[in-house]
């Protein structure tokens, strides 16, 4: 099957790195993923040059939002800055021509009603000013997460679909997160699609840890615990563009997956 496959790369030389590793798709950060500030894009020529370079290389571009964002939080000191930061990232993503922004589902605390977290997501989508899709990603761990297990994803989706801008909300299926989060990879794509109606992007990663472990530790294909046939099967079933995200050289991972999907 023909699926676009790529990897997370450094934004400063995204087009060159994509060519080196054989990527059709790139994912980048626009800022430090652990920080609350978005500095001007440190790319020669700025956002316009980045957009032109990736377009000339025939690349689809996705942005991963900072990990610190948690729009579900009931804590004003987290939720409000999270919304502000997400808006900044969406604006930056639009400037570089990104096809979507991946955002983790976030979490509430043990003392919170999960329904409040789901509704905070609705309010966050309501408040966004953007035409770029927000691609909510399933997460690996946490008993109070918004998007670890299928039943929570279903509740989250019901909430965000009530928002203004709901048509701009999509889904990123992460294979390592699903495995670690206790979702059955054999049916994951169909189960997610039954809830959301769509899968916009796949993060294809092996897992260092066992199924259901809750550990978000990516591994290169063949080095982790996910059986190869399950990895290839869920990517094929999802039928969406693929980004590989493990640290190190991603060329072999792209080739590994491309070869098996073509078989």
């Amino acid at each position: 099957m023909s699926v676009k496959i790529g990897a997370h790369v450094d934004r400063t030389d995204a087009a060159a790195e994509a060519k080196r590793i054989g990527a059709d798709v790139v994912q980048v950060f626009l800022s430090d993923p652990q920080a609350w500030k978005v500095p001007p894009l440190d790319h020669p020529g700025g956002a316009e040059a980045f957009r032109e370079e990736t377009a000339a290389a025939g690349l689809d571009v996705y942005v991963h939002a900072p990990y610190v964002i948690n729009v579900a939080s009931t804590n004003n000191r987290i939720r409000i800055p999270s919304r502000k930061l997400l808006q900044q990232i969406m604006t930056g993503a639009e400037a570089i021509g990104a096809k979507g922004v991946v955002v983790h589902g976030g979490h509430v605390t043990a003392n919170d009603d999960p329904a409040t977290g789901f509704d905070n997501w609705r309010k966050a989508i309501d408040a966004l000013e953007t035409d770029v899709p927000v691609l909510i990603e399933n997460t690996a761990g946490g008993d109070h997460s918004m998007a670890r297990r299928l039943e929570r994803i279903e509740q989250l989706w019901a909430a965000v679909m009530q928002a203004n801008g709901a048509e701009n909300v999509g889904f990123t299926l992460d294979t390592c997160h699903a495995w670690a989060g206790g979702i059955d990879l054999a049916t994951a794509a169909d189960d997610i699609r039954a809830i959301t109606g769509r899968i916009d992007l796949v993060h294809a990663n092996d897992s260092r840890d066992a199924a259901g472990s809750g550990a978000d530790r990516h591994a290169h294909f063949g080095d982790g615990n996910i059986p190869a046939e399950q990895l290839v099967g869920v990517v094929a079933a999802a039928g969406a563009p693929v980004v590989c995200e493990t640290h190190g050289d991603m060329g072999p991972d792209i080739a590994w997956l491309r070869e098996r999907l073509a078989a």
Side-chain angles (χ1 to χ4, degrees):
M1 61 183 299
S2 179
V3 172
K4 290 187 177 182
I5 304 172
H8 189 103
V9 300
D10 191 301
R11 66 183 178 276
T12 56
D13 59 352
E17 180 66 4
K19 183 176 182 180
R20 186 186 73 78
I21 62 178
D24 310 312
V25 181
V26 291
Q27 178 180 277
V28 297
F29 291 124
L30 294 183
S31 60
D32 180 343
Q34 303 291 357
W36 290 97
K37 296 194 175 184
V38 183
L41 192 72
D42 55 345
H43 187 82
E48 186 175 349
F50 182 97
R51 186 173 187 155
E52 288 174 356
E53 288 166 21
T54 51
L59 294 169
D60 288 344
V61 177
Y62 293 85
V63 168
H64 200 303
Y67 302 137
V68 294
I69 289 176
N70 182 8
V71 300
S73 178
T74 59
N75 184 336
N76 289 346
R77 293 182 179 183
I78 296 173
R79 185 182 68 259
I80 293 170
S82 290
R83 288 190 193 174
K84 180 181 177 183
L85 179 55
L86 181 57
Q87 179 62 65
Q88 290 176 302
I89 294 297
M90 300 307 300
T91 301
E94 193 162 357
I96 66 166
K99 297 180 75 68
V101 173
V102 179
V103 186
H104 286 175
H107 60 275
V108 294
T109 71
N111 297 322
D112 295 322
D113 181 349
T116 305
F118 299 135
D119 198 50
N120 283 342
W121 253 108
R122 177 190 63 79
K123 292 174 182 175
I125 298 298
D126 259 340
L128 279 180
E129 296 180 9
T130 183
D131 291 326
V132 179
V134 176
L135 307 180
I136 301 174
E137 179 180 1
N138 62 302
T139 48
D143 291 334
H144 311 289
S145 63
M146 301 286 95
R148 175 182 178 178
R149 297 186 171 92
L150 292 172
E151 59 268 24
R152 286 286 176 88
I153 295 171
E154 188 167 7
Q155 291 170 288
L156 172 58
W157 210 257
V160 297
M161 285 299 103
Q162 301 305 310
N164 292 322
E167 68 278 3
N168 275 340
V169 180
F171 197 84
T172 298
L173 172 58
D174 187 298
T175 60
C176 171
H177 295 179
W179 170 265
I183 294 176
D184 183 356
L185 288 186
T187 59
D190 289 341
D191 291 341
I192 293 291
R193 205 179 282 110
I195 294 168
T196 64
R198 57 196 287 176
I199 296 172
D200 298 78
L201 187 67
V202 173
H203 283 172
N205 305 294
D206 207 332
S207 172
R208 186 196 70 180
D209 297 282
S213 65
D216 182 6
R217 292 292 182 270
H218 298 180
H220 291 286
F221 298 139
D223 290 346
N225 281 293
I226 305 178
E229 66 274 12
Q230 288 196 38
L231 265 170
V232 176
V234 68
V235 172
V242 176
V243 169
C244 304
E245 295 181 305
T246 305
H247 290 301
D249 185 7
M250 297 309 302
D253 287 63
I254 291 172
W256 185 97
L257 187 58
R258 190 172 278 143
E259 178 184 345
R260 283 159 179 80
L261 286 172

